[in-house]
Amino acid sequence: MTTFGERLTKLREGKNLSQAKLAKMAGVPQSTIAQIETGRNKSTKKIIELAEVLDTTPNYLLNGVKDLSVVPSSSEIGSYSDKNISNSIGAYVKIPYYDISLSAGMGNATWIVRDTHDKLLFRESWLQRKGLDESSLKAMYVRGESMEPLLYDMDTILLNINDLEIVDGGVYAIIYKNRLYIKELRNTENGIDIISYHRDYETMHVTQETYDQFKVLGKMVWRGG
């Protein structure tokens, strides 16, 4: 996996920009660019400005995570650490990463904020266009290969925990038989199909007999990897 400095260098050179030119366009000292590219500096408060100049996202520059969603444009989504960005971030919304703790035998889930400073950064205008409320959004990592090629292990997804109505073809975080899954759901005459994309994983079926072991936690509204 490449480093922040390596990604910055590649993008800068791809635009035929010198360190001095990039520094001027992003409003940072040239020494900052040099320190990032040599690995001496792991972050900068100007990450948003650098991403916009380089037509990428802060998330990709810092973590190598590419926005896989269709709607947002290049600089509308990113990831950052609180210590790396000032609190004056204008019309941006910070979404924390969460883990889910399951209650054994209860089918209940508790959202737990991950012990990390990293968060996703979204423009308020994008949330408004999507009709999303920041209070209902939770970011989490995908684990496993069952949803490849849509989602890969350790991809990031954003869930709307207030959108619990099953729409055929939508991807949801669910609990089924006291296990957490990220799956496509489809309504059927006999219940609900829980669909994996990887061919090695069979479709699971929620029936009337097992419906009390099934719970929708939220719908995926964005993905990055």
Side-chain angles (χ1 to χ4, degrees):
M1 184 175 179
T2 58
T3 66
F4 176 23
E6 290 169 341
R7 290 187 290 274
L8 181 66
T9 301
K10 183 176 180 179
L11 290 170
R12 175 180 63 77
E13 292 178 346
K15 285 187 166 293
N16 295 316
L17 296 175
S18 66
Q19 289 185 350
K21 181 65 173 178
L22 174 60
K24 182 177 180 180
M25 294 173 69
V28 302
Q30 181 179 346
S31 60
T32 297
I33 304 298
Q35 289 169 2
I36 292 172
E37 294 190 355
T38 57
R40 294 196 301 274
N41 193 336
K42 304 297 183 182
S43 64
T44 172
K45 292 182 178 180
K46 293 287 187 176
I47 188 65
I48 295 174
E49 289 81 356
L50 284 172
E52 290 179 344
V53 172
L54 296 171
D55 290 329
T56 188
T57 65
N59 194 26
Y60 178 70
L61 276 180
L62 285 174
N63 300 325
V65 175
K66 295 181 179 179
D67 169 29
L68 302 178
S69 184
V70 175
V71 178
S73 61
S74 63
S75 63
E76 290 188 338
I77 297 175
S79 182
Y80 72 102
S81 297
D82 284 336
K83 63 184 179 180
N84 296 335
I85 272 189
S86 68
N87 291 327
S88 301
I89 58 176
Y92 280 83
V93 173
K94 300 177 286 187
I95 308 295
Y97 283 88
Y98 287 81
D99 290 319
I100 296 177
S101 174
L102 300 182
S103 300
M106 299 290 291
N108 294 323
T110 301
W111 294 94
I112 302 173
V113 178
R114 289 181 64 91
D115 186 19
T116 174
H117 293 290
D118 293 338
K119 295 179 178 66
L120 288 176
L121 183 64
F122 290 81
R123 285 192 189 275
E124 286 184 351
S125 59
W126 181 80
L127 296 182
Q128 291 169 356
R129 289 200 305 272
K130 298 285 284 183
L132 299 172
D133 183 344
E134 66 175 290
S135 65
S136 67
L137 299 176
K138 298 188 184 298
M140 64 182 297
Y141 291 110
V142 175
R143 299 309 305 267
E145 62 181 14
S146 68
M147 290 298 286
E148 294 180 4
L150 177 70
L151 298 170
Y152 289 85
D153 188 45
M154 293 307 294
D155 276 358
T156 297
I157 61 173
L158 189 68
L159 297 173
N160 180 359
I161 63 170
N162 284 343
D163 191 349
L164 305 180
E165 181 180 356
I166 297 174
V167 177
D168 288 349
V171 175
Y172 299 82
I174 64 170
I175 301 173
Y176 186 53
K177 295 184 177 180
N178 211 47
R179 292 190 62 183
L180 173 67
Y181 297 97
I182 308 296
K183 300 288 186 183
E184 178 183 324
L185 299 181
R186 288 188 178 272
N187 293 290
T188 70
E189 292 183 358
N190 300 317
I192 301 167
D193 283 349
I194 302 174
I195 301 169
S196 299
Y197 287 6
H198 196 291
R199 62 184 180 182
D200 291 343
Y201 293 80
E202 296 183 356
T203 296
M204 296 180 287
H205 307 281
V206 182
T207 64
Q208 184 176 355
E209 290 74 22
T210 60
Y211 189 79
D212 61 347
Q213 302 177 62
F214 171 80
K215 183 176 183 179
V216 177
L217 299 179
K219 185 178 182 181
M220 183 180 77
V221 293
W222 175 87
R223 60 191 176 100

